[in-house]
Amino acid sequence: MSSLPPGAYRPPADRWGSFTKVVSRLPEGSVAVVDRTVARFHPTLLPALEARSPRAIIQLVGGERAKSMVSLEKVLAGGLNLPRSGTLVAVGGGTVGDVATVAAHLLKRGVRLVQVPTTLLAAVDSSLGGKGAVDLTVRGRVVKNPAGVFHYADETWLCPELYATLSDAQVREGSIEAWKMVASLDASLFKRYVRTPPALEKLVKDARGLKEGICAKDPYEHQGLRRVLNFGHTFGHVLESLSRFKLSHGDAVGLGILWALDVGRHLGITPEPVAHEVERALTRGPGVLGRDHAAELSRRASLKDVAALLDADKKAGAKGELRMVLLTAVGTAEVVDVMPKTWRALWAAWTRGARP
């Protein structure tokens, strides 16, 4: 047993294998939070969990609506009888993992957490790094992740058969997050990806390695080093909200990257050849959606609505400036304070689907 308190930073302990095999690592008497759709697609999953004599199996409907106080209360209620030495296992995509992470932090002031990401997006990103959060509704708009915790998983189980049922869209959005990390953190790996797109398992391992390299240096975001992982998230979160979360997170980040490249070009921080290379690679590689998708969503809102969403973002500054991640070169990024007048100057082109 680890001497670290529950949820404290620890290097990732990734276990690859079939779910029916790795589930034997789960202590009896644990509590499981499972995405209902995943359980339906993989009929051996629930029996494998039940064989470990769980105290409870809580099923949630995945998707952004799962990241609510209602879902959190349901998980907390299901874990009431879990001892502080107990384990909460999250089987699902990023939203189920987020709710379970918050619950693991709150139950008995912290219990063990095991992440079992069932989407490519969760495997490459959200299941690593300790973050969990729920959404809040502010003035009729859903604000992403304003209430959250850091609670690192003791283990992460990566089960390839769970990814076999993913749709092309789900593979795309997970791939976008992985390529995002490569484009902003590793120039030589980016070049190799452009030449030969990686197989899924390599994509997951590369992305997790890059993210862990950042998280190990700044596990609780005290130094600001982890901000680089937010490349594409500033306007990606806006587009998610404007779509009422019909636009997936990965696709929103992809569109947010295109707009971040525009901001960087406008400010003279991202060289034009760099912006062109990254946009072309993301379009040809993981398949970022076209600018017309972002344009259609942006036309649904007034500048006042967009400003309100940006102000509510936890990355916004006191004077309304946006702390955006902008590329200075492939594999290199910096955090820049972007004033409202900058993005407002680009807005008209964005709403037309044009590149400023």
Side-chain angles (χ1 to χ4, degrees):
M1 295 291 290
S2 171
S3 60
L4 294 171
Y9 169 76
R10 64 205 73 211
D14 291 352
R15 314 292 182 187
W16 286 82
S18 68
F19 184 80
T20 53
K21 180 179 179 180
V22 294
V23 75
S24 64
R25 301 182 57 85
L26 186 66
E28 292 189 356
S30 302
V31 169
V33 184
V34 180
D35 186 311
R36 191 183 303 275
T37 302
V38 173
R40 188 172 71 250
F41 280 150
H42 300 275
T44 61
L45 194 150
L46 289 181
L49 281 170
E50 289 165 353
R52 304 303 300 166
S53 301
R55 293 173 184 264
I57 296 178
I58 303 147
Q59 294 191 49
L60 298 178
V61 178
E64 199 66 28
R65 291 184 180 181
K67 290 176 59 172
S68 67
M69 289 296 185
V70 173
S71 295
L72 177 59
E73 185 175 6
K74 183 176 181 180
V75 177
L76 293 175
L80 280 179
N81 295 324
L82 194 65
R84 190 164 188 212
S85 59
T87 298
L88 184 69
V89 57
V91 185
T95 56
V96 170
D98 261 8
V99 174
T101 298
V102 177
H105 192 76
L106 297 176
L107 280 169
K108 310 302 166 72
R109 298 187 178 90
V111 298
R112 292 180 74 250
L113 175 66
V114 173
Q115 292 273 13
V116 188
T118 61
T119 65
L120 185 57
L121 180 60
V124 304
D125 186 26
S126 61
S127 64
L128 179 71
K131 284 186 178 181
V134 292
D135 299 339
L136 296 178
T137 301
V138 180
R139 293 189 292 274
R141 294 282 190 186
V142 177
V143 180
K144 280 183 64 71
N145 304 332
V149 301
F150 282 99
H151 194 93
Y152 281 82
D154 281 66
E155 293 185 5
T156 302
W157 302 344
L158 298 153
C159 308
E161 79 273 15
L162 298 180
Y163 312 137
T165 54
L166 297 178
S167 66
D168 290 343
Q170 289 173 311
V171 172
R172 179 182 67 239
E173 68 165 332
S175 299
I176 288 170
E177 277 282 2
W179 279 69
K180 173 212 73 177
M181 283 185 261
V182 173
S184 57
L185 295 172
D186 193 323
S188 60
L189 188 58
F190 179 82
K191 290 180 180 177
R192 294 200 294 274
Y193 273 34
V194 170
R195 287 197 302 268
T196 307
L200 185 144
E201 186 169 326
K202 176 171 173 52
L203 187 81
V204 172
K205 289 180 177 179
D206 285 344
R208 290 180 68 84
L210 288 172
K211 184 171 183 179
E212 167 57 16
I214 298 295
C215 293
K217 298 174 184 176
D218 190 15
Y220 305 109
E221 288 192 341
H222 289 162
Q223 302 175 56
L225 299 179
R226 285 177 61 151
R227 290 176 181 169
V228 70
L229 299 173
N230 292 324
F231 183 42
H233 282 63
T234 300
F235 284 104
H237 283 173
V238 169
L239 293 169
E240 274 186 282
S241 293
L242 294 180
S243 76
R244 298 195 179 276
F245 299 97
K246 292 181 181 178
L247 180 70
S248 71
H249 176 71
D251 283 333
V253 167
L255 295 173
I257 288 173
L258 301 187
W259 283 11
L261 294 173
D262 293 342
V263 171
R265 266 194 300 253
H266 183 79
L267 294 176
I269 292 170
T270 306
E272 173 61 37
V274 170
H276 177 73
E277 181 181 8
V278 171
E279 182 165 348
R280 181 178 62 180
L282 291 178
T283 301
R284 294 180 176 179
V288 171
L289 297 179
R291 288 174 175 267
D292 56 317
H293 289 268
E296 192 276 328
L297 291 171
S298 64
R299 289 194 292 266
R300 296 182 184 182
S302 66
L303 285 175
K304 182 179 179 181
D305 290 336
V306 174
L309 287 170
L310 290 170
D311 287 343
D313 193 294
K314 58 186 179 296
K315 295 179 284 297
K319 297 180 180 179
E321 71 274 18
L322 308 177
R323 296 201 173 106
M324 289 189 68
V325 180
L326 303 177
L327 292 189
T328 56
V330 174
T332 306
E334 64 180 47
V335 180
V336 178
D337 284 348
V338 177
M339 298 307 294
K341 65 179 182 181
T342 299
W343 68 263
R344 286 173 180 268
L346 302 173
W347 189 256
W350 288 343
T351 58
R352 296 194 309 271
R355 195 179 79 172

